[in-house]
Amino acid sequence: MGVRHIDKQKCLRCGWCVTICPQDVLRRDENRYPVITYLQDCQSCFLCEKYCPAQAITVSADRERRPILPW
Amino acid sequence: MQILDCDVVVAGGGPAGTFAAVKAAEAGAHVILVDKAYVGKSGCGTFGAGSFKAYIKEEDSYDLWYGKAVEEGFFINDQDWLRQHFETIGDRVRDLERYGVVFEKNPDGTYNRIEGQGSSDVRPIKTLMFHGPQFMEVMRKACEKAGVKIVDRVMCVSLVHDKKNPKAIRGVLGFHGVSGEPYLFRAKAVVLTTGAQAYKSHYADLHMVTGDSHVMGLQAGAALCNYEFNCHQLTHAGFATHGMNISQGLGARFVNALGEDFTAKYDPEYASHGNLWRISASMAMEVHFGRGPLYFDYSSYTPKDWELFARTLPLMFRSYVQAGYVTEDGVCRKGKLEWVSALIGNVGFGGGLWIDLQGRTTLEGLYAAGDASYGPTSGVEGFCAYAMPAASTTGTVAGQSAAAYAASVGDVALDEQEINAAAWAMTEPLRHPAGCDPVHVVLAVQEALFPYDVYILRTEKKMQQALARIQEIKADDVPRLRAVDPHGLRFALEARNMVLCAEAMLTAALYRKESRGSHLRLDYPEIDNENWLKWIMIEKGADNGLVLSTRDIPIDRYPLRPTCRRELHASIAAARKLGENI
């Protein structure tokens, strides 16, 4: 699950996705591009995708690991 | 170490925290608002599904709303607080409009309101509608306009006491999640508003609320209350979903493995429109009686239904298209989706820090509001979509009280030894980078807490087993939690907070020897108004343990009182009526 891909061709390097991520999943690299740094903590909330001014980010709700369920 | 001075520091920038900060600043205090993420995009309020259940004096029946709140609260509400809430919520709605929050309106200027979960034809409870993400953006701007200093990306970890008065709180210690630098906020009053403990559950958008205020308060000597009561959500087993109100409204049904629609059997008045925990209890019963797995069935949806679904729940629709359940143009490929209950801790209602009518906790100088508080207006349950209105009224009171109190406090004197010890303890996980992975601790807590016979159909035996496991994790794994950088330190401390809150929840649930609302015990199936019209208080004891006590609810002087001394819990009564052996 989680943020899957950031398209460098489209990215404006504004850094807004890094600023707003509630889970601190994204950080900036030496060229100020956002990079997916802590994927294990992404909760697929879609904020980065929704607020990206260049539609450069793709998020998925699908999970690779089955969550712990009540039954 | 960064040291910042102010009159009032507010920890947590959701609806309760931003209200507290604005109101304290408007009262003349110098205010700092701290959040471990970014105020305006952090906390559950950011993901509010647009529903704001506010009582509007000009349109609603006070008796209906008050009665419904006490009914859902199972007489555990602080009814003085409930009255204060209903008397002030209209002012808060006007505040929100003044700040710039847009509510849906009719052409004649009145509010456009809809009926949500827990509303029936006989007793309609209507909710206001707002545009989800805009709400918190507006609240950040309101804070800035009021002169509040906002500090983003700093996680608050522990409270600091007055050097001369160990019962008074005079500050908060935390660290920056990127730089790792410690931050000390020296203040005359502290307001805790970091929200609930959601156990990083299998539900959408609440992995960041990890009981930070509850643990800070408890460890500093404040009392928690109502910690045995929890909110349950309903979601797809495959991935986390939301939008149950709309999905049910468009005609999707809950069915068991035999294809039977089962909700009306247990709850004839509301059936599939019932409150979440009632459906959660019905689902657990069906599984318990061997009729699982369970499904939520969208098969009846027409392309027109899917079109409306896509418009109102675009992210959900996107997930369903991604998963191949429906095509972009609304052709259903897989309608019957496996569906489960999810424990989401005390999000929306349920336990937290005890507060009085002024928002004061049991410690001097320490205030709490919203989900960080024990939800005095909610009792056992709240109305659905009631959390943000309650955060507005409790946040306002806590902010105003904290500002008034701060004005009476002289110079702040702190104990350097206490601060050094707290700073050392806070960074403990960074000192054993080869220790226990926080992800392991999160999964271990979830494995102990999430089985349905621990949190839905409760028994002494199962809860004791779960508590023993949680205490084992606390003793063996928590001291070895690892972090390799400041980001990791946040997640290590969040995992620790999950363990401590799980211990408090199970301890309180074992203590309450009756059933009441979502606290449904198979070994004590009756609501016992003779012995249990009480609040359970939890305080820190010796050796890192917990001390429990009770406070009698002053029911005799409240307007609404239960009519019977004991009665069988409605879900169990319904199951027995169906001939089930439970």
Side-chain angles (χ1 to χ4, degrees), chain A residues 16 18-25 27 38 40-41 43-47 49-51 58-63 65-71, chain B residues 37-38 41 47 133 137 153 177-178 202 205-208 237-239 283 287 318-319 322 340-341 443 447 450-452 455 485 487 490-491:
Chain A
W16 187 229
V18 179
T19 299
I20 65 172
C21 174
Q23 292 287 89
D24 187 32
V25 171
R27 292 290 173 85
Y38 302 102
Q40 74 276 15
D41 298 315
Q43 59 175 347
S44 293
C45 74
F46 291 88
L47 280 189
E49 182 185 290
K50 188 175 155 106
Y51 288 98
T58 318
V59 179
S60 168
D62 260 334
R63 299 184 71 114
R65 191 174 60 206
R66 193 167 165 89
I68 293 170
L69 301 176
W71 46 75
Chain B
Y38 176 82
K41 289 281 182 292
F47 305 99
E137 287 165 16
R153 287 281 173 225
V178 178
H202 176 49
D205 310 328
L206 37 65
H207 285 208
M208 59 285 175
F239 50 81
M283 292 172 87
V287 170
R318 202 179 163 294
S319 306
Q322 261 182 4
V340 293
S341 161
L443 291 173
E447 280 175 1
F450 287 2
Y452 78 89
Y455 82 92
D485 60 13
H487 172 94
R490 166 182 161 183
F491 285 81

Side-chain angles (χ1 to χ4, degrees), chain B residues 204-219:
Chain B
D205 310 328
L206 37 65
H207 285 208
M208 59 285 175
V209 286
T210 49
D212 304 349
S213 289
H214 300 169
V215 172
M216 277 191 277
L218 185 68
Q219 295 197 328

Side-chain angles (χ1 to χ4, degrees), chain B residues 450-466:
Chain B
F450 287 2
Y452 78 89
D453 49 9
V454 174
Y455 82 92
I456 313 177
L457 306 180
R458 293 175 147 171
T459 56
E460 178 93 14
K461 189 178 157 208
K462 289 289 183 171
M463 287 195 290
Q464 285 288 8
Q465 282 173 359

